[in-house]
Amino acid sequence: LGHQLSIPALKNRGWMVVGISVCKVTGATVFVGAALIIFGVNPVVALLLAGIAPATAPASIFDLVHESGIKGEFPETLLSIAAIDDVWGLLIFILMMAGSAILAGDAAVTAGVLEGLKTLAGSVVLGVALGVPMAYLTGRIQRGEPTQAEALGFVLLGAGIAEALGMLPILTAMAMGVTVASLASHHDRPFDSIQGFEWPFMILFFVLAGASLEMHALLVAGAVTVVYVLARCLGIVAGTGMGSRLVGAPRPLQKWLGVALFPQAGVAIGMALFAAQKFPEAASVVLTVVVASTVVLETIGPVFTRLAIRAAERSPGA
């Protein structure tokens, strides 16, 4: 997904993508936080869930765009926003964790949050450092020869180093993708060569996510999950709509972009696991709500995304 944020792509629609994505993640955070606090949820839990709310499932959205076969401004902008809003989402999540730590009176967690900001920066630096040699090494053999091994090797190398150094593999990979797409004129080949690998991992992901869902906890937190899902969807639509109007985006983007950004998956669960480690007293509720909402949003979210892509294509001015 990093290639959707390449320098050439951002030159064409950079300010629009940044403006819409910032408003989108802000809308999701504010709506979820406010709704949960009004509903009477513990403020620490409410802030943690508000910080997780902006996370999107970029892999699902990418698959839906690829499956539709539709080209143009709407799907390209959708992919760029799906890629970059997880970066903003990680920043907001770190800030919400800092706020939760202050409310909980835990100075150690606050110090850990500051360390988390350094981790974000380090992940980007690592991705760029690996992306430069990847840009000049992958895909330069004769046409028809496989590039799968070398491209996948760089991805696994980046993930392994990130894990070893305590950084974020997903952000490292995204930064690597941005670097390759910006520096390599042949960049489509290394990206194309590793497509199709995700399905076995997606299946395992949902099996493990379902296995970690405690039904007793779901009965307790079921109402909170409903409020979270509804507030997140409303916040995304409101924030994306406002951002689209502020940047003067075409009418199809203003009308349908928010609806296409409902899916939420692995990034959110990763955030929830991290929050559970730092706030064990809130772990049960946070994990249950995020896992349950992920099942819901990965079931109905792609349906809305597909409908939005096709509706935007038929809209006047598309």
Side-chain angles (χ1 to χ4, degrees):
L1 284 169
H3 78 282
Q4 298 297 330
L5 299 175
S6 66
I7 293 174
L10 290 177
K11 283 182 178 178
N12 293 331
R13 54 185 184 275
W15 284 112
M16 182 170 68
V17 168
V18 171
I20 295 173
S21 62
V22 168
C23 290
K24 178 259 184 184
V25 299
T26 303
T29 301
V30 171
F31 271 61
V32 169
L36 292 176
I37 289 174
I38 292 172
F39 193 70
V41 175
N42 184 308
V44 172
V45 174
L47 286 181
L48 292 174
L49 290 174
I52 295 170
T56 312
S60 298
I61 294 174
F62 179 87
D63 285 340
L64 289 164
V65 171
H66 180 72
E67 174 191 290
S68 72
I70 297 173
K71 307 293 183 181
E73 185 173 32
F74 185 88
E76 290 176 0
T77 304
L78 173 61
L79 288 175
S80 295
I81 291 174
I84 198 172
D85 70 2
D86 278 341
V87 178
W88 307 139
L90 286 168
L91 291 172
I92 289 179
F93 175 64
I94 293 294
L95 294 176
M96 291 298 102
M97 283 191 63
S100 298
I102 292 171
L103 289 177
D106 192 342
V109 175
T110 304
V113 168
L114 296 176
E115 189 65 28
L117 294 174
K118 296 180 182 177
T119 300
L120 290 176
S123 301
V124 172
V125 171
L126 176 60
V128 173
L130 290 173
V132 172
M134 182 179 180
Y136 288 99
L137 292 177
T138 57
R140 292 194 178 275
I141 49 185
Q142 293 297 318
R143 182 177 296 277
E145 294 292 325
T147 63
Q148 193 175 81
E150 56 185 357
L152 188 60
F154 269 104
V155 173
L156 295 176
L157 177 65
I161 295 175
E163 285 285 353
L165 298 178
M167 296 180 184
L168 302 171
I170 186 170
L171 192 55
T172 298
M174 194 177 297
M176 198 187 322
V178 172
T179 305
V180 172
S182 299
L183 297 179
S185 59
H186 59 282
H187 72 267
D188 286 339
R189 293 199 66 207
F191 281 105
D192 292 342
S193 68
I194 59 175
Q195 286 181 10
F197 270 83
E198 77 269 20
W199 281 109
F201 297 99
M202 290 289 284
I203 293 170
L204 286 172
F205 164 76
F206 279 109
V207 169
L208 294 173
S212 65
L213 182 62
E214 299 180 14
M215 295 308 296
H216 173 71
L218 180 59
L219 293 175
V220 176
V224 179
T225 302
V226 172
V227 173
Y228 173 86
V229 170
L230 293 177
R232 179 181 180 272
C233 292
L234 289 173
I236 288 174
V237 171
T240 304
M242 179 182 295
S244 300
R245 289 189 291 273
L246 287 175
V247 300
R251 181 65 179 170
L253 289 173
Q254 296 183 26
K255 188 174 182 180
W256 297 108
L257 194 56
V259 178
L261 289 165
F262 288 166
Q264 185 176 58
V267 177
I269 290 185
M271 291 177 176
L273 290 169
F274 187 71
Q277 293 174 356
K278 301 296 182 181
F279 298 88
E281 70 282 358
S284 177
V285 175
V286 171
L287 281 174
T288 300
V289 169
V290 173
V291 171
S293 63
T294 295
V295 174
V296 173
L297 291 168
E298 278 296 282
T299 302
I300 65 171
V303 176
F304 283 98
T305 301
R306 185 180 291 109
L307 291 174
I309 293 170
R310 299 194 180 280
E313 183 191 27
R314 296 191 298 266
S315 297

